[in-house]
Amino acid sequence: MQPPDPRDLAPAGLAPVDPYVIVLFGATGDLARRKLLPGLVHLSHAGLMPDYRVVGVSLEDLDDEGFREVAGQACEEFSRHPVDPALWREFAARLAYVGKDRGPGPLAAAVQRAGAELGGSPRVLLYLSVPPAAATAAISLLDDAGLAAGATVVTEKPFGTDLESARRLNATLHEVFDESQIFRIDHFLGKEAAQNILAFRFANGLFEPIWNRVNIDHVQIDVPETLEIGTRAAFYEGTGAYRDMVVTHLMQVLAFVAMEPPTALAPAPITEEKNKVFRSLKPIDAGRVVRGQYEGYRSEPGVAGDSQTETFVALECEVDNWRWSGVPFYLRTGKRMAESARIISIAFREPPRSMFPDGCGVGEYGPDHLTFDLDESSRLSLSFYGKRPGPGMTLDKASMQFSLQDVDREKDTLEAYERLIRDAMAGDHTLFTTADGIERLWEISTPLLESPPPVLPYPVGSWGPDAVQDLIAPNEWRLPFARRWRELRISSV
Ligand code: BG6
């Protein structure tokens, strides 16, 4: 019996994808090991990959077998799903490796070999999992190897390090690729929960009418991480929290929260609305930014003893348009903080309270909030004041909560990179960023990048420097939550 054509395995409604040779630059790097290689294995096991081969490229001196070992260890350490040994062997057989220093000839030959194994005329996906400084050299190498024509190219964030370098990188890309070939990735847009913001806002009649400055007091996008720098000092020292997380992930999420309804959930209309948000963003006021550095960062291997790189940043920004003018957006993220979380919290304006008796508790626990958790279970919570049972009128804060676990669909969730790799192979630009949008974000960042406030130390395991409380006052950060998310209750019939 013939094995099934992998293109027939895609679930109904998903466009089949042609066979691909994936050329993975940065194949032994942190991102490839944590996300890309385990992601390809999972996509493959889930029947969502076409027939494919992977040619890994990086600075390490490895052969195919050595690369398979690196990939095997990575999948063991980072796969979200147990990897069946037989399926692993099947995946490993698809891997080949070429050292970057070997130049264009051997790279072209390896891609040709992989293509011949697939047969027919497979497509080529060039994945540039490299820091901004290495992107130009990778593009030249691909061009010299004759791999650019007709290929799909995925570029990692951050796209450049400021407006000037982003423009240069874009010009370099356009010398070799047509815009339609380019997929600028920001993996937060591939998160199920980020896309759920669009579904929640635009597929329901309840919230959109109140989604504006009349009813919303402020918005928080808060992504603290307990994670340390680990082996990434070389990347992180030249990047810092603002470029790594804010101008990229947090701003993209902000656009989903703030954008006007697009005319269709298609690339051009979504991009148009997101870019309108970016155009309405006021330049970042360095006086409304707190930069922090965790204590001990300067002793991490590879970090300068007098490093001014921020491992924490919190700031206020404003979308100056008819929907949002006057509503502060507070953004915060950092490494080695007290907890890891990824939340968006919408604080609604408080109602008049004078009808309630003194001391009854109304307003005591802050405004009512709608909170999105960007974790895989896409949790949502709407908090509100309700009456405490019994005599009198005492009010407590309560919440209505949803989690994907409740609908038993969590297992269908694709990790963000998995979703985006598949979209890129299918030629779908919807969840990718554009040069215009990115350049505008660098433009509004210029005042901060040119005159950054000093980095303030903060203890490992904290919520950042104390100044972060003044930044948001008289409001308060939602995290840490006063009430935990509810655990899933398994209902018995
Ligand atoms: C990456 C950043 O893009 O996103 C990392 O470079 C960060 O510093 C990571 O830790 C967070 O992504 P996630 O999906 O784990 O929330």
Side-chain angles (χ1 to χ4, degrees):
M1 203 175 88
Q2 285 289 313
D5 181 339
R7 279 172 297 180
D8 298 336
L9 292 176
L14 272 186
V17 173
D18 292 330
Y20 262 94
V21 178
I22 300 172
V23 181
L24 178 55
F25 269 71
T28 56
D30 188 72
L31 178 65
R33 292 177 49 259
R34 267 175 200 281
K35 305 279 187 178
L36 305 178
L37 292 164
L40 286 172
V41 174
H42 180 238
L43 275 177
S44 199
H45 293 181
L48 292 172
M49 281 299 273
D51 203 0
Y52 68 102
R53 293 290 182 276
V54 178
V55 177
V57 184
S58 84
L59 293 172
E60 318 256 332
D61 182 19
L62 294 174
D63 57 11
D64 293 351
E65 215 33 62
F67 179 47
R68 288 180 188 134
E69 251 168 58
V70 171
Q73 278 160 10
C75 291
E76 216 162 275
E77 198 174 347
F78 298 115
S79 272
R80 298 177 313 132
H81 308 271
V83 181
D84 175 273
L87 291 171
W88 164 255
R89 281 193 295 279
E90 203 248 330
F91 176 75
R94 296 173 184 273
L95 304 181
Y97 183 84
V98 191
K100 180 167 177 288
D101 293 341
R102 295 188 55 212
L107 175 59
V111 173
Q112 204 171 21
R113 265 196 309 280
E117 281 170 27
L118 290 171
S121 327
R123 308 218 34 213
V124 175
L125 178 99
L126 309 169
Y127 198 119
L128 306 185
S129 174
V130 293
T136 304
I139 295 165
S140 309
L141 177 57
L142 289 166
D143 192 21
D144 295 346
L147 294 174
T152 295
V153 60
V154 178
T155 62
E156 257 303 328
K157 51 109 308 230
F159 191 84
T161 51
D162 57 13
L163 180 56
E164 211 23 64
S165 58
R167 283 187 176 146
R168 269 201 313 272
L169 178 54
N170 210 31
T172 306
L173 273 170
H174 283 150
E175 278 167 22
V176 178
F177 300 101
D178 182 72
E179 180 61 27
S180 62
Q181 296 174 266
I182 306 171
F183 290 73
R184 298 174 187 81
I185 209 165
D186 186 303
H187 81 275
F188 267 48
L189 296 180
K191 287 183 188 281
E192 195 73 56
Q195 295 154 58
N196 203 27
I197 299 170
L198 299 186
F200 185 85
R201 284 189 58 195
F202 301 132
N204 300 293
L206 183 56
F207 286 100
E208 204 45 34
I210 59 165
W211 207 257
N212 55 46
R213 59 201 290 257
V214 178
N215 302 291
I216 292 179
D217 185 77
H218 68 273
V219 177
Q220 297 182 25
I221 302 179
D222 203 0
V223 186
E225 296 182 286
T226 54
L227 204 71
E228 55 204 11
I229 304 304
T231 53
R232 298 174 77 209
F235 163 77
Y236 203 82
E237 267 286 89
T239 309
Y242 184 80
R243 291 180 170 94
D244 185 34
M245 296 290 288
V246 177
V247 77
T248 51
H249 305 323
L250 272 58
M251 287 296 185
Q252 293 296 330
V253 168
L254 181 150
F256 271 8
V257 173
M259 71 198 242
E260 297 300 315
T263 50
L265 291 182
I270 289 189
T271 298
E272 189 178 321
E273 297 307 335
K274 278 172 52 195
N275 286 356
K276 275 161 64 184
V277 172
F278 298 148
R279 286 202 291 276
S280 299
L281 269 171
K282 285 187 173 172
I284 304 290
D285 172 0
R288 302 294 292 152
V289 178
V290 176
R291 291 169 76 234
Q293 190 184 70
Y294 65 77
E295 289 167 0
Y297 173 72
R298 292 176 185 177
S299 318
E300 300 271 18
V303 172
D306 58 353
S307 170
Q308 295 299 316
T309 300
E310 79 283 352
T311 60
F312 170 99
V313 64
L315 58 88
E316 181 189 68
C317 60
E318 194 185 336
V319 183
D320 191 23
N321 64 16
W322 279 83
R323 191 189 276 260
W324 294 112
S325 175
V327 177
F329 284 73
Y330 297 105
L331 276 43
R332 172 170 72 169
T333 186
K335 301 288 188 228
R336 301 220 68 183
M337 292 180 62
E339 284 175 25
S340 288
R342 307 174 191 95
I343 65 148
I344 302 165
S345 189
I346 315 284
F348 293 101
R349 286 205 190 282
E350 297 194 50
R353 296 179 195 155
S354 55
M355 73 177 81
F356 289 97
D358 282 347
C360 74
V362 67
E364 218 169 90
Y365 310 100
D368 28 332
H369 291 98
L370 175 66
T371 303
F372 296 86
D373 182 353
L374 294 183
D375 219 339
E376 280 184 6
S377 50
S378 286
R379 286 180 296 203
L380 270 174
S381 157
L382 181 63
S383 67
F384 60 95
Y385 285 90
K387 184 186 169 303
R388 185 183 296 173
M393 176 58 86
T394 304
L395 299 168
D396 281 327
K397 197 93 179 271
S399 66
M400 295 187 271
Q401 297 190 5
F402 165 82
S403 159
L404 271 186
Q405 290 170 314
D406 299 340
V407 289
D408 189 29
R409 283 275 175 196
E410 205 177 19
K411 63 174 178 22
D412 292 345
T413 306
L414 289 182
E415 204 280 328
Y417 278 100
E418 296 168 10
R419 161 76 198 239
L420 294 174
I421 290 170
R422 194 182 190 284
D423 282 3
M425 286 192 303
D428 183 349
H429 274 94
T430 311
L431 297 173
F432 291 82
T433 62
T434 60
D436 280 2
I438 292 172
E439 286 176 15
R440 172 63 188 161
L441 289 171
W442 285 124
E443 191 180 346
I444 60 144
S445 305
T446 304
L448 172 65
L449 300 179
E450 285 182 353
S451 313
V455 284
L456 306 172
Y458 62 95
V460 166
S462 71
W463 291 95
D466 291 343
V468 79
Q469 308 304 341
D470 298 338
L471 177 76
I472 202 170
N475 301 306
E476 289 178 5
W477 293 99
R478 287 300 311 292
L479 292 173
F481 284 134
R483 293 173 310 283
R484 298 266 124 204
W485 289 102
R486 265 201 293 281
E487 289 306 317
L488 173 67
R489 253 183 265 156
I490 310 287
S491 52
S492 51
V493 186

